[in-house]
Amino acid sequence: MAGGLLAGGGLCKQIDCKTTSRGTFGAPVKTDGEVPQDKDLRIIGLDELRAHNNMDDGLWISFKGHVYDVTNFAKIHPGGPGRIMMMAGTDLQKYMDVYHVHPDVSHFLDRNCLIGRLSKSDGKKSYEETIFSNPYADEPERDLQETIASAPRWANLMGKYLLESFYTPIRGFYVRNHFPVPTWDNVEEDYEFEVNTPGSKSRVFKLQDLRKLPQATVESTMICGGAAKYPRYLHRTDNRDNWEEVEFPRNEINNNFWGSHAVWTGVKVRDVLRACGVDVDSIALGAQPLPAKYLRLTGHDMDETGSNFGVTIPLEKAIDPFGDVILAQTMNGEILTPDHGYPVRVLVPGFAGVRNCKWLAKMELSDGLHESHVDTHTDEVIYPPNMNFEDHIAKTVLTGGEVKRAGRFEVRQDNSIFRVMEMPVHSSVIVPEPNETISAASALADGVEVRGIALGGGGHRIARVDVSIDGGKTYIPAELDDHGMEKVHRRNYHWSWYWWSKKVPLTEEMKHQLRNGKQVALKVAARAMTEHGNTQPSRDDAVSLYNLVGNICNNQTHTPVKVEQDSAA
């Protein structure tokens, strides 16, 4: 359920169902005001609730005294269908107690899945008798700069500390786990991963096998799924008329950007495939066709129902001799920590962090996308801006329709919906921080110091970063610092971020206000441009860019800052 939503169909036996679709009592409805009142809801007993615990009889759950049918929605639940089935017949609150970062879905459930209510005593009993042991309780101890969530583990949003070292200290490197961290009693003996190639027997590799292959070192910045905006999924539905005004201010903090930089060491994936009989050189040169479209990556980590993490990357990327896809075992000269995939993770430079599969269990060449819900559900794909989750995804399923799998040039798939793969151009303002107060004396004398990071995305180099303190009305170019990475990386294979800085002078009008004792409000923005001319969208484009998952919203942000006279002045 991490990172996903619950929704679904309804009680078919109570209405005249002439189709295979299921409809809820009084739902789906568009607004909270149309949701049936408790006095109009049928009282459902615990035995009836608990009997609906499978796909044939329906999947029902209780939550805050209400009963919901979530059957139809299981197949597109972003957290995977298994978690919906796991909860069937029980109380959702027990799971929310563990997954405390999950958004409040009570209004969404009322609008779409409501079928009845429990008596007050049964509601209390349903919660108390629901048993769910926290699968994250026994995870390894860790030393992290800032823990955001523990189930699953999220840590280390962007902050000033990222500008203390070009190579992000491991304790400060961002963490975004999907499932509990796997461990091995004897990693040398017990850890292994499998490689499947067309026309050959699968081969199993252990750590000692990797040590026999050439080692490669790769400098690479990793970011999660692109700059994100929240709330995910429920935007334009919980606050249909004013969601931009209500929600967007919280997104001005560095675009909710999770990113870090490290130097990684491991074995190139193309060398592992070569050891398995794949002629990677002939394929890379075009002398032989690609044997498959994708390289499917499966992790040893799994959710509570036994479903493994899994994603796909283009096979072309993996066999590209300059693509630098490696099976990393160290970062910044140290053995990987459990949160970063110990003992082996896949590094896919230039691609979203979610494609960098941790705790590798299997690699397989395939023409089909991964069956894992991480790869096939809504959590890691981009939808068109004219769609929202509730009206176009959930209600399609509620009325018996099917939601197409996201594709890109795939037969019988929706190519307006595509997967998060390579990252777009991006920059973030790190200094000053949101709502920081700057001394007027300092700003008048030296200007406003602005610093941050920029990334070309997909291997592209940054050509320029422009900085504004008036919300994008005027810009001046910043100084770039690539820390020598342009000598390390080839053109179109530049995986590292850039640092940039600029002391931006105040306008004459700003100076006049300060000298007259007035406060000046700034909106600090940065705009990155690649050598190909790709430029970050403006803040005004944010609303139109905002897709229902919230991913890759790389528009400029306006960091609010105040300049005022010192209190002693």
Side-chain angles (χ1 to χ4, degrees):
M1 192 166 58
L5 284 176
L6 299 175
L11 182 59
C12 192
K13 296 179 181 178
Q14 290 190 357
I15 60 176
D16 181 20
C17 293
K18 296 182 180 180
T19 69
T20 57
S21 65
R22 305 161 71 92
T24 59
F25 176 78
V29 297
K30 187 172 184 178
T31 66
D32 294 338
E34 299 173 76
V35 175
Q37 300 296 307
D38 280 5
K39 63 182 178 61
D40 298 320
L41 296 175
R42 180 173 73 90
I43 296 178
I44 294 173
L46 277 180
D47 289 342
E48 186 177 2
L49 166 68
R50 292 169 177 172
H52 289 82
N53 60 8
N54 58 75
M55 291 298 291
D56 290 335
D57 297 322
L59 306 174
W60 292 9
I61 60 171
S62 63
F63 187 45
K64 299 182 179 180
H66 285 171
V67 177
Y68 305 97
D69 185 329
V70 294
T71 310
N72 285 344
F73 196 75
K75 63 183 179 180
I76 59 169
H77 173 229
R83 282 169 163 162
I84 301 291
M85 299 174 71
M86 172 184 71
M87 292 183 294
T90 64
D91 193 86
L92 175 61
Q93 187 61 55
K94 270 291 173 69
Y95 305 89
M96 290 294 196
D97 291 345
V98 173
Y99 301 115
H100 55 86
V101 295
H102 200 290
D104 180 9
V105 293
S106 54
H107 294 295
F108 179 82
L109 291 171
D110 282 343
R111 290 192 298 266
N112 293 284
C113 317
L114 184 62
I115 57 173
R117 64 182 175 90
L118 298 174
S119 66
K120 188 173 182 180
S121 60
D122 278 351
K124 183 172 183 290
K125 192 173 182 181
S126 180
Y127 173 77
E128 291 175 346
E129 294 183 2
T130 295
I131 299 173
F132 180 59
S133 299
N134 185 352
Y136 300 88
D138 298 323
E139 286 202 322
E141 293 185 5
R142 63 259 287 178
D143 176 24
L144 298 171
Q145 179 145 332
E146 178 192 14
T147 292
I148 301 165
S150 58
R153 184 68 54 166
W154 298 0
N156 302 332
L157 275 172
M158 185 160 285
K160 284 185 176 180
Y161 73 93
L162 287 177
L163 294 181
E164 295 174 1
S165 172
F166 188 74
Y167 299 99
T168 310
I170 292 176
R171 71 181 303 269
F173 202 102
Y174 89 88
V175 173
R176 171 57 171 98
N177 296 338
H178 288 253
F179 307 139
V181 173
T183 58
W184 291 263
D185 292 332
N186 185 335
V187 70
E188 287 290 337
E189 293 295 328
D190 299 337
Y191 173 78
E192 61 185 30
F193 66 89
E194 179 183 355
V195 180
N196 291 332
T197 58
S200 302
K201 290 183 178 180
S202 62
R203 179 172 172 181
V204 173
F205 286 79
K206 291 184 173 290
L207 294 180
Q208 60 183 354
D209 299 316
L210 290 181
R211 296 190 189 103
K212 299 174 184 177
L213 296 173
Q215 301 294 301
T217 296
V218 178
E219 302 257 6
S220 181
T221 299
M222 187 182 296
I223 61 178
C224 188
K229 292 199 181 299
Y230 292 83
R232 306 173 76 189
Y233 307 108
L234 291 180
H235 79 289
R236 298 177 180 162
T237 51
D238 271 357
N239 297 299
R240 286 181 181 273
D241 298 325
N242 63 345
W243 71 272
E244 293 97 336
E245 292 81 1
V246 171
E247 301 295 348
F248 262 50
R250 66 189 259 200
N251 290 297
E252 298 296 359
I253 306 174
N254 299 315
N255 257 356
N256 286 293
F257 183 77
W258 291 18
S260 307
H261 182 78
V263 55
W264 312 80
T265 299
V267 175
K268 285 191 174 184
V269 166
R270 70 190 314 269
D271 288 339
V272 174
L273 296 177
R274 179 190 286 113
C276 294
V278 180
D279 191 347
V280 292
D281 292 329
S282 293
I283 296 169
L285 291 170
Q288 289 188 18
L290 281 168
K293 292 181 180 179
Y294 304 112
L295 183 66
R296 305 205 310 185
L297 306 170
T298 304
H300 278 285
D301 54 324
M302 61 182 67
D303 67 15
E304 304 81 349
T305 67
S307 296
N308 290 75
F309 176 93
V311 291
T312 53
I313 63 171
L315 181 59
E316 288 174 287
K317 171 67 175 175
I319 66 171
D320 184 341
F322 306 121
D324 290 332
V325 181
I326 66 171
L327 302 185
Q329 293 183 263
T330 73
M331 58 188 297
N332 293 344
E334 299 181 32
I335 297 296
L336 294 174
T337 63
D339 277 321
H340 293 298
Y342 174 79
V344 176
R345 79 171 301 166
V346 184
L347 176 71
V348 190
F351 278 54
V354 70
R355 301 291 159 191
N356 294 245
C357 178
K358 296 188 279 192
W359 312 291
L360 181 65
K362 181 188 290 187
M363 295 194 300
E364 52 189 330
L365 277 62
S366 174
D367 284 329
L369 297 162
H370 206 292
E371 66 274 6
S372 167
H373 70 267
V374 177
D375 205 37
T376 59
H377 286 62
T378 59
D379 200 31
E380 301 301 341
V381 300
I382 302 299
Y383 282 81
N386 63 327
M387 294 178 66
N388 72 60
F389 184 75
E390 185 167 337
D391 296 336
H392 300 95
I393 305 299
K395 287 182 172 60
T396 296
V397 176
L398 286 167
T399 55
E402 292 186 5
V403 176
K404 295 180 180 179
R405 294 177 68 183
R408 176 53 70 87
F409 315 119
E410 296 295 324
V411 178
R412 294 185 299 278
Q413 294 182 354
D414 191 337
N415 287 303
S416 66
I417 306 169
F418 62 94
R419 280 174 171 67
V420 177
M421 289 285 188
E422 285 118 327
M423 293 288 90
V425 59
H426 177 83
S427 66
S428 282
V429 174
I430 297 180
V431 175
E433 294 184 307
N435 303 311
E436 186 174 328
T437 298
I438 298 173
S439 161
S442 172
L444 285 167
D446 302 318
V448 177
E449 183 184 35
V450 185
R451 293 189 290 149
I453 62 92
L455 188 71
H460 297 163
R461 288 175 174 168
I462 290 292
R464 196 176 75 220
V465 173
D466 300 323
V467 184
S468 171
I469 60 172
D470 56 10
K473 294 178 182 177
T474 60
Y475 292 88
I476 59 174
E479 284 81 42
L480 288 178
D481 184 356
D482 75 330
H483 286 75
M485 289 299 104
E486 289 199 0
K487 295 180 180 178
V488 172
H489 299 298
R490 293 172 178 266
R491 188 175 186 273
N492 293 329
Y493 295 94
H494 191 289
W495 316 125
S496 301
W497 62 15
Y498 292 71
W499 286 8
W500 54 263
S501 62
K502 186 67 179 179
K503 288 187 176 180
V504 185
L506 300 177
T507 66
E508 292 302 317
E509 175 62 25
M510 292 173 182
K511 293 177 182 178
H512 178 74
Q513 292 181 38
L514 289 173
R515 288 167 180 152
N516 285 298
K518 296 181 180 179
Q519 183 188 89
V520 172
L522 306 180
K523 294 181 179 179
V524 182
R527 177 180 66 191
M529 177 186 294
T530 72
E531 61 184 354
H532 298 74
N534 297 325
T535 305
Q536 261 185 287
S538 71
R539 173 62 177 79
D540 292 338
D541 290 327
V543 173
S544 63
L545 284 173
Y546 191 15
N547 57 85
L548 68 88
V549 184
N551 282 333
I552 310 190
C553 293
N554 66 324
N555 58 274
Q556 303 164 47
T557 55
H558 291 173
T559 301
V561 176
K562 294 182 294 183
V563 182
E564 59 185 27
Q565 299 289 350
D566 296 333
S567 56

